[in-house]
Amino acid sequence: MIASLLAAAGDFVAPVADYHALAPEIVLAAGICLVLLVDLFVEERQRWITSTLAGFVLLGAFIPVVTLAVIGGDVRNGLGGDVLDGRYVIDEYALILKALFLIAGYVVVLMSSDEIESGRYHQGEYYVLLLTSVLGMVMMASSRDLISIFVALEFLSIPAYMLAAWNKRNSKGNEAGMKYYLLGVFASAIMLYGMSLLYGVTGTTLLSEIGPAITANGQFSGIEALAVVFIVVGFAFKVSAVPFHQWAPDVYEGAPTPITAFLSVASKAAGFVALTTLVFLAFPLASDVYQPFIWVLSAASMTVGNLLALRQTNIVRMLAYSSISQGGFILMPLTVAGEAGVGESALKAVVVYLVVYAATNLGAFAVVIAVAKKTRSGDISSFGGLFSYAPALGVLMTVFLASLAGIPPLGGWFAKFGAFKAVLDAGTNWGYSIAIIAALNTVIAAAYYITVMREIWMKPVPDGDVTPIRTPSSIQAALVITCGATIVLGVLPDLVGRFGDLSDLTGALGR
Amino acid sequence: MDVISDQNWLLSLGTFLPLAGVLVMLLIPKREELLHKQVALVTALGTLGVGIYTLTQFDYDKAEQLQFYANTEWISVIKSGYTIGLDGISLPLYFLSMVITVLVMIYSWDHIPSPGNPKAFLILMLVLQTGMAGTFIAQDLILFFVFFEVVLLPMYFMIGVWGGEQRQYASLKFFLYTMFGSALMLVAFLALFYQTDSVSFSIPYLIEQGINIDEDVAVWIFAGMFIGFAVKVPMFPFHTWLPDAHTQAPTQGSVILAAILLKLGTYGFVRIAIPILPQAAVKWAPVIGVLAVIGIIYGALGCLAQKDMKRLIAFSSVAHMGFVMLGISTLTATGINAAMFGMVAHGLITGMLFFCAGSIKERYHTLEISRLSGLLIQMPKLGWILGFCAMASLGLPGLAGFWGEFPAILSAYNPAPALSEPLFRVLMVIAALGTVLAAAYLLWLYQRTAFGEPNPEFTGHGHAHAVGAAGNDEHHDDIHDVNVFEWIAWTPLLIAIVVFGVYPQLMFKVMDPAVTQLVEVFNK
């Protein structure tokens, strides 16, 4: 039998892989094995090593991302693109998002180490799952093929289902895991059905070939429309866009807070990345279908998310609904992505928004974790008087909330500005109408962000307990990274603005 | 447009120096209160030093040109640049913001409002200073917008944390009004960008291109900017946040609000809305003029109805800003010169009035006009200063206030050729009546608070319970005259009020070339 296998493999020529281009994934994969092995051989009370190790693995994977970015486009396109036939591409767009996922993963590790170490269990497995999920995301950034997108998506989702259920002794934790799993699988199924239809119609899984093939017989067929809608619905679940959002608040509340941060930022961003890639590469001729559909998703997400966020008394649930509403803003540029000449600013807007939103929201969750260590409460009122006894945390939370509200000079303003500019660039009625809806929502959102700020600055401490908060050094590090990024991106938005060139993404398609 | 790019680092230094102080203060622990005050004051003085150097380096013969002009790439994605420059219009306000910050810092030396925490208070003030100075130097709409918004949060916290009893309501109102205004303003900026071929947000560029925008469109864009700036000024009917914010803000907040923040709105009209969209400005000028005059009368009548001294001063701001807006709405060199002068004069005089109110409140723990009397007997120096400021505020010739009001009224007699002469003459008459009302409410305020015998409630030491009703009663016997920090903080303002009153040319000659150039387009 082995002989026959060998014989069959006889004319197999190993592809000339560009190991440099694939280095981030390789480092991550090796790191996952390493963490698992270390976890097997260290004693229970030394398991903190796994946390440190996971952090180093993520940073290690970040190094090749930087070197690839420094080397520039030619080397990457020449090797990575050709070998894998344009199905797995390392371009600027992929690199900035890989960097985003790795840094976000690193910040989540920093946020987790104290939380998971203190009295919890299965530290090693926790970090293995986290790293695996990040690997899926990193792969998602490069995927330009229906199959690799789907594989990356499952790769990042399945560990996330388990992480959501990490508080397994707690009924809310079980609810979170179960809900997330069932709805996630349901979404995957719908999406897969859409993909199979798309494959059936176009005969290819390569996005760049699907794009031109989608109207091959001159007009748009019903089945193509159905395929596009199904795929968008599948991702709408992943990014928790209204009306496919019901799972999010429960899952966010039940999961451990660092995982909530991870889901609401990194996992969500991965969904947006896939959707964006599809919209620009596979659906450029299907804009009549996806644009109105995403328009509805976007308008509903920001409005419903905001209105529900206004009524929350639990900070994590409020941030959950706020992240639904922010998701609506990220979808906004995609509602006009197919208009002539708008693609560039729409793509940039999405990329910039994802980066800024990641930094800001992770920071907000880091503060929530730090404060909850003392107050043991998730109520917004537990932030009362925070400024008086923990001024640093109070100011940081203010920075993050102000950034989420879009107040200059913090990152959020530029993200929102970019989104507005993209839809106004289009100059269509769809664009203007979504801009008006978004403008109203910006003001509504400011109301609930400012509620928390008022608690922090102006309300008395709820139980008069003003013992200072001891913030673990790992969370301090997470706060420094996120706050630094939030401010720097607001003052010098060009740092990320130069990434996400449309020609970069579609250029890969051209070859 | 010609620009002068010599020493183009100077404005950035003056604008961002306060942030260096903020960084230092962040590293100092909260309990080192004295050190915080020292660092903040030194920073503010250093900034003022840069400001003075800027004054000496400014080429007054070319005051119509942007000087110290710098233009570097900032956000290339949206074609917005870090474009800064200073001309005769912005120089006085830029410098005023630095002076006011220093004086407020000095005043804060022994007047940190409850609940204390000088570290945070002074840091917010330095951040405010950066935002204010930045707004006056920005020559790019996006940069302007960012600086314009930077002042929002520090002021919100200053009112909300260190303010009076209704502080939360007042601060929220302030925040939401301003946020609403700036959202519309930003939309207008974007529309402007698209209407001028999406090339640049630079103000000099847009001044060249804006005139080509179709008039119907331009009127709408102007409307967006109008609301954004009018909220900040504030013009009737967008003024309702102001009395609350002023009354509830701590003294320092009120002073900065009155002296500088309100000017961001009027400055926006003069710097952005009118020069970029002159065709729309002509259409809007009657509206602005009418609203300005309504503001004058309404503010004055509002003053007459007030029972609280600080609230009265706040309403007088509405009236005074009405004169400024009336001057702007004439679209003439005289009118806009008067408006610019009025902005600075109002900053000096109303700032001073709020200082006085703050000091009275600190001593009596109340600003209820009916409970105050005989200031001149109990605190003759403070009483005289209050009288002096009231006179300046009502526009007594020889003091700075006169040169803001009188030429503004005069200019309405002869508005720009495109505007309706009868309408503006009617406005002129009504505005002139407004000055009579101004005299009425200020003298009335002064008579009731300064003349007569001191209220027995505050003369003895045995009335603690009576004062207790007004709040904190621990220092009720602490009624003393002007102290040394107050003298240091106030003297420069008092001197400036006299100097500009006697020799207004000092400021007019700086502004006039730039203003003349600005209104050229209306004289055709």
Side-chain angles (χ1 to χ4, degrees), chain A residues 348 387-388 398 402 405 407-409 413-414 417 421 424-425 446 450 453-454 457-459 491-494 497, chain B residues 30 74-78 117 120 142 145-146 149-150 153 156-157 160-161 168 171-172 175 179 186 190 193-194:
Chain A
K348 270 190 198 300
F387 178 70
S388 63
T398 307
I407 297 171
W413 85 269
F414 185 70
F417 184 87
K421 182 169 175 292
L424 294 178
D425 250 347
I450 215 156
M453 287 191 215
R454 277 168 71 179
W457 287 74
M458 300 168 200
K459 293 281 162 78
V491 179
L492 300 169
D494 251 11
Chain B
K30 190 168 134 189
W74 180 41
I75 316 179
S76 52
V77 193
I78 57 168
N117 196 349
I142 297 299
F145 172 76
V146 169
E149 293 289 284
V150 164
L153 273 184
Y156 168 72
F157 289 125
V161 178
Q168 295 197 12
S171 59
L172 192 64
F175 188 91
M179 185 103 183
L186 186 61
L190 273 172
F193 177 69
Y194 288 119

Side-chain angles (χ1 to χ4, degrees), chain A residues 6-28:
Chain A
L6 282 177
D11 47 345
F12 174 76
V13 183
V16 191
D18 177 0
Y19 290 107
H20 187 193
L22 296 175
E25 287 85 344
I26 295 170
V27 172
L28 271 176

Side-chain angles (χ1 to χ4, degrees), chain A residues 2 15 60 80 84 113 148 172 188 224 226 229 240 367 483 498:
Chain A
I2 292 173
L84 298 168
S113 58
S148 54
K172 281 199 169 171
S188 292
E224 283 167 341
L226 203 60
V229 168
S240 62
V367 177
C483 179
R498 70 185 193 85

